[in-house]
Amino acid sequence: MKRWHDEPAPDLALASRFLMPQMWWIASEMVRRHPHLLLTIDVDLPAPSPGLDECEPGGPLIVHDRSDAFRVQFALADGVLFKSGGQIHTLTWAQVFAAQGPLDIVGQLEQALHLDSPDLTPPATPRTLVYRVIASALTTALSDPHDWRAVPAPISVADVPGSPGGPLFTGFSSTAVPRGRYASTRQKVGARGQSTLFRQPFWALLRDDQPIAIFDTAGIVHTVLGSTELLPFYTANDRELALITARILGPYLP
């Protein structure tokens, strides 16, 4: 009689609950070490106050510079894609999870993309802290039965200070003023005929498709209790990332 362990192992895809924290950690660490870089999810933006269904992260998480000349893509299906020497290269998720050290993949990407590996990690910035807290929350929630993910929280360029915003912003009243300011700035840029891409400034951290926090890349996290400026909070808590993640998001974490 054949036993179940005698059967050939099926070629199973890794669950997104493992991939999401890993891609966010690698991406946020790249930006931490190279603060001129940015993170984006490649969706059709901007959109006028989309609902949750329209915020599905259909595209990959991307590390890029402001000109988009530099790109590293993290895709659930394909792994880590990057361009070097005129060729597209891929690190599969199997290769990523086989790395012995947490910085091994970051180091490989730096070498392949001719980024100087810093001898000392640059000081935290408001934006790099936003990315790192999101990555920390996703890692902490890895074994939570609830589904966690981070998606862009788009605003409309027609937004004004005090407007309710889209469904992702419901309950986060402290976002009203910054949303209006961002929209006003974008309108002024458009009036001057500039075509600079509007980088959406907000990320929503979702738990079972419900937003539990809105992150502003200016370095502020908004919850139903109000807003917290991350850099002073990080400094006041001895620069312990796990500690500030727990103190901000503790009621929701497993």
Side-chain angles (χ1 to χ4, degrees):
M1 178 186 296
K2 278 192 173 183
R3 293 167 296 182
W4 65 269
H5 50 74
D6 293 327
E7 297 292 338
D11 187 13
L12 300 176
L14 290 170
S16 61
R17 70 185 182 92
F18 295 108
L19 302 183
M20 197 75 69
Q22 188 66 22
M23 68 168 64
W24 267 93
W25 187 86
I26 296 171
S28 66
E29 194 65 20
M30 288 188 71
V31 180
R32 180 189 183 193
R33 291 159 65 87
H34 307 280
H36 68 287
L37 299 176
L38 305 164
L39 288 185
T40 301
I41 282 181
D42 191 9
V43 294
D44 188 15
L45 297 175
S49 301
L52 288 177
D53 290 342
E54 295 171 271
C55 284
E56 287 289 329
L61 180 68
I62 298 171
V63 178
H64 61 101
D65 59 13
R66 293 189 182 277
S67 69
D68 282 334
F70 172 99
R71 274 197 169 210
V72 178
Q73 257 177 219
F74 298 81
L76 291 175
D78 303 319
V80 186
L81 289 76
F82 59 95
K83 190 173 184 178
S84 179
Q87 301 292 322
I88 301 297
H89 302 270
T90 302
L91 286 171
T92 66
W93 287 120
Q95 290 173 304
V96 171
F97 281 93
Q100 294 300 306
L103 285 173
D104 287 1
I105 297 300
V106 176
Q108 288 183 44
L109 290 170
E110 287 176 333
Q111 184 176 14
L113 296 164
H114 308 293
L115 290 172
D116 293 331
S117 298
D119 294 326
L120 294 174
T121 303
T125 71
R127 181 166 47 81
T128 61
L129 270 178
V130 163
Y131 300 150
R132 292 177 64 208
V133 171
I134 292 174
S136 176
L138 293 173
T139 300
T140 303
L142 173 63
S143 296
D144 191 357
H146 299 283
D147 177 55
W148 288 69
R149 57 194 174 98
V151 299
I155 61 173
S156 169
V157 293
D159 215 344
V160 295
S163 66
L168 287 174
F169 293 99
T170 300
F172 301 97
S173 57
S174 58
T175 66
V177 171
R179 281 189 287 106
R181 287 175 178 164
Y182 280 122
S184 176
T185 299
R186 176 56 186 161
Q187 286 176 335
K188 291 176 182 176
V189 169
R192 292 196 295 267
Q194 299 180 17
S195 59
T196 303
L197 178 63
F198 179 39
R199 302 288 180 196
Q200 289 285 342
F202 293 103
W203 290 87
L205 184 63
L206 307 183
R207 180 176 180 262
D208 287 340
D209 288 334
Q210 297 302 312
I212 62 170
I214 302 291
F215 289 84
D216 180 345
T217 51
I220 298 169
V221 56
H222 302 268
T223 67
V224 293
L225 299 177
S227 62
T228 301
E229 194 173 350
L230 285 176
L231 189 54
F233 194 57
Y234 180 67
T235 302
N237 284 275
D238 299 321
R239 297 177 172 82
E240 292 286 347
L241 185 68
L243 180 59
I244 69 165
T245 303
R247 288 187 170 175
I248 294 169
L249 302 172
Y252 303 97
L253 293 170

